[in-house]
Structures are given as structure tokens and as C-alpha cells.
Amino acid sequence: MENQIQDKIAKLQELVDRAERIVFFGGAGVSTESGIKDFRSQDGLYREKHKFPPEIMLSHSFFFSNTEDFYEFYRDKLVNPDVKPNITHRFLSDLEKAGKLTAVITQNIDGLHQMAGSQNVYELHGSLCRNYCTKCHKFFGIDYVSKASNVPLCDHCGGIIKPDVVLYEEPLDEDTVEGAVAKIMDADLLIIGGTSLTVYPAAALIEYFRGGSIVLINRDPTKRDSIADLVINDSLGKVFSKLTIN
């Protein structure tokens, strides 16, 4: 089994070496090695017992009807001020600096790709790092929200501050989606990592790929493995630690 993994990593190295326009499409598994829990795995947030189901607490309607409960869950489970980028974030940043990676398209909201130095990041579900007043639209950083004693209020108009993340019942940002689609359509290698490809509409974006090869790296098999030219069932950190940028 280990030899098979090594052979697949060697094949991935060949694909990366040949490619000129790589796009990485990532999910929660990218950040689990930084200590951030994912949602749907065996020990993910959705498997834990909460006051309300996470899918309800992370909805648009719940935010406005139960704002205090929303922020209690949000601060406790989603805000991780001490987390740092891991080897996957750093490798992708280096790949971009080398001129081979044209975009990171992420379903994550933790901002770790930018912290690692990536510039061309399309955050499909928004970012914890941005928060805005629902009345005057003044923006605030994560520190302002995390240090508030209860519901964070705007220091300008007193309005409720909302994280700039896409909650359930909310659409994806059109400009972000269009930019991501354009990058995927222009790519010659699409690497999909750390995602089960079950969250729509985000997962549907990979259908726009028209390039040479699709590589899918995920700890567990997915229902979409058949679309990939190369499937590696292992941790992203292990795989990317074996690659070099030529």
C-alpha cells in the first residue's frame, strides 16, 4: 500500500513539473492539520452535540433571530486566533511564487492561505477575517469580533456586526464564483484536496475544468473519485511534503 502511495506521489510530481497553470480547489481537510476541525468527518463539528444543530446555527435566519446563540457557537467553534498555516498552505504559496499556480479556490473561511502568502485566493464561502456592520457596512477585523463580550456592535453606528461568511440560505458571491470559474477553465492541471465534494454549489465548479488532468487528494475515498485521473487517499501534508517545485 505504501509503495502504491509513493508511486502516485511520483506521478503527481510529474504532472506538477509539466503544468504551467495549476489551480488548487480545497476544502476543510486543508486546514485540519492546522488543528481546525472539519464539519462532516467522524469527529467533525456536525457529529458533536450542540444547543442547536450546526446547520441551523450557521444559517442566515438564525443569525438574525438568535444572534447571541450564533456568536456563542461562532466564537467557541469557528474562531481560532492561534492557528497557523500548515505545509499544504505553504507549499501552495511557494507554487504560486514559482509562477506555476494561478489560483487557490477554497471552501474554507479561516484565511490561512493568505497568512501563508498566497495572493490569488478565491474564498467561495467568505472569510472569518472580515466582518461588517449590517447597518453602515463598516468593516472590522477578527479581533474586534472575538474580543466583544457578547454580540459585537459597530463602534460607528451601533449596528450588529456580521461575519463576512456565506451562511446557509445565502448565495455565493457572484464575482468570486465568476473569477474561480475563469481560473478553472484556464487551468491545465486541477488539484482537488481535502474535500468530499459534497457541498454544493461550490463542488459543481470543478465541472468547468477543460484542461489535461484532475488530481484528487483526500484522506478518504469520495463519490467523485471517478472524475479524477489520479486519486491519492492520504493526508495532504504527507503528499505535499514529498513534492518539490522545479
Side-chain angles (χ1 to χ4, degrees), residues 29-30 33 86-88 217 234-242:
V30 175
E33 291 177 52
N86 60 52
I87 190 170
T88 299
I217 308 168
D234 212 329
S235 74
L236 285 163
K238 179 180 176 180
V239 172
F240 285 134
S241 69
K242 302 290 186 181

Side-chain angles (χ1 to χ4, degrees), residues 110-246:
D110 50 48
L112 291 180
H113 286 293
Q114 290 92 330
M115 194 182 298
S118 291
Q119 300 293 317
N120 298 313
V121 182
Y122 293 84
E123 297 171 308
L124 296 177
H125 297 148
S127 174
L128 295 170
C129 302
R130 299 186 303 271
N131 304 270
Y132 66 93
C133 174
T134 54
K135 286 179 65 178
C136 72
H137 296 284
K138 178 180 178 180
F139 271 82
F140 296 86
I142 188 63
D143 286 345
Y144 188 90
V145 171
S146 61
K147 293 177 180 178
S149 59
N150 201 330
V151 175
L153 301 177
C154 178
D155 60 5
H156 175 68
C157 73
I160 294 174
I161 294 172
K162 179 183 180 296
D164 192 17
V165 298
V166 179
L167 301 176
Y168 289 104
E169 304 167 352
E170 294 179 343
L172 302 185
D173 177 73
E174 289 186 11
D175 291 339
T176 302
V177 170
E178 289 177 5
V181 167
K183 290 296 185 181
I184 290 173
M185 292 183 70
D186 185 57
D188 57 7
L189 173 62
L190 177 62
I191 302 176
I192 303 168
T195 174
S196 58
L197 294 174
T198 58
V199 178
Y200 284 81
L205 299 190
I206 63 173
E207 305 293 343
Y208 289 94
F209 181 66
R210 300 291 182 269
S213 299
I214 295 178
V215 177
L216 203 164
I217 308 168
N218 199 54
R219 185 183 62 184
D220 303 311
T222 78
K223 293 181 179 179
R224 304 295 306 280
D225 284 1
S226 62
I227 70 168
D229 301 283
L230 177 64
V231 177
I232 305 176
N233 292 134
D234 212 329
S235 74
L236 285 163
K238 179 180 176 180
V239 172
F240 285 134
S241 69
K242 302 290 186 181
L243 298 181
T244 58
I245 301 173
N246 301 315

